[in-house]
Amino acid sequence: MIIIPQTKGGVGKSTVAMQVIAPYLYKKHGKKITYIEIDDENNDSKSFTRTEIVNKRMLGTNKLTELDELILMDDNHEVIVDVGGNKTSTLVLDEIKKVGTFGNIKWIIPLGDGELDGKNAIATMKKIKKIEDNPSENVIFALNRAISMQPDYIEEQFINFFGHKYIDSNSVICDFVKNPKYFPVKNDKVITMSRYLGSTVWEMAYNNTDFAQKAIKAKELGDIESARKYLFFRRIQTDAKDYVITVLNKIFCDLDTWIDIKK
């Protein structure tokens, strides 16, 4: 099981869960992944109405005891748990602490580049440390909405994670964890487009629809508006493929070195 908690909302937990981890596990296992969203206030997974790589399920905070059996049974990492922010993450972590992880959980803590993001990531990590026997191996951070994938730029952007020799900060991840594992998730308009289209970037990239051919046929029929529409989707498809090649494939390689997928 892969659990994605953060005590702060709006840090991109659902983006990491659906745009990164879901396609990664789907590709590894070759079948749909179970995606559980625990959030009494928001249901971000509803945006992904056309995805075919997950089976979605909502779990209310009044039924958290169901997690116990799910954790015990999922020793092959086929379940993603997207945990809501604020009190929800605290409730989930407190519930898991009662029973334990059975060695079956990998944790991903997402954060943006804001100071509060860093402080809440540290708070989340401290809670996980009270649960997890081996946090140094089983916890990884997702640096969300990265402007660039260049290491130097990432370090400059995520001062709350790496710190900075000229800028004081009292809440830096690297002050609490030695050589923390992480992967950056580059911000891109294609992510926004994919949510409006109800799909994931990865699925859009591997959509076999030949939009170029459709545009040509529409032009031949004199349907210029449809031709423009197919050109638009062709651009999105190309952008999605570029994102997979330049961003997701690199993250997938990083995840391969972190997670043990049993087949």
Side-chain angles (χ1 to χ4, degrees), residues 192-253:
T192 302
M193 290 291 187
S194 74
R195 291 181 72 97
Y196 276 101
L197 293 171
S199 185
T200 65
V201 173
W202 189 83
E203 289 173 278
M204 287 164 51
Y206 288 98
N207 184 323
N208 292 323
T209 303
D210 190 341
F211 290 111
Q213 189 60 36
K214 284 181 173 290
I216 291 172
K217 287 185 177 179
K219 182 198 72 171
E220 292 173 347
L221 293 171
D223 188 350
I224 303 304
E225 188 57 35
S226 290
R228 289 169 178 162
K229 178 182 72 173
Y230 292 131
L231 287 174
F232 169 75
F233 284 117
R234 172 65 173 167
R235 284 193 296 272
I236 294 178
Q237 187 181 55
T238 301
D239 288 342
K241 288 178 180 178
D242 288 343
Y243 192 85
V244 169
I245 293 170
T246 60
V247 179
L248 290 184
N249 284 347
K250 172 63 170 62
I251 296 175
F252 290 177
C253 289

Side-chain angles (χ1 to χ4, degrees), residues 33-64:
I33 303 302
T34 298
Y35 175 96
I36 298 174
E37 185 171 8
I38 305 177
D39 196 332
D40 293 337
E41 298 177 356
N42 299 297
N43 187 352
D44 289 339
S45 66
K46 281 186 175 180
S47 299
F48 299 93
T49 55
R50 296 181 180 176
T51 182
E52 297 181 357
I53 61 177
V54 299
N55 291 311
K56 292 183 290 185
R57 175 185 169 191
M58 287 294 296
L59 185 66
T61 54
N62 61 331
K63 295 184 178 181
L64 290 182

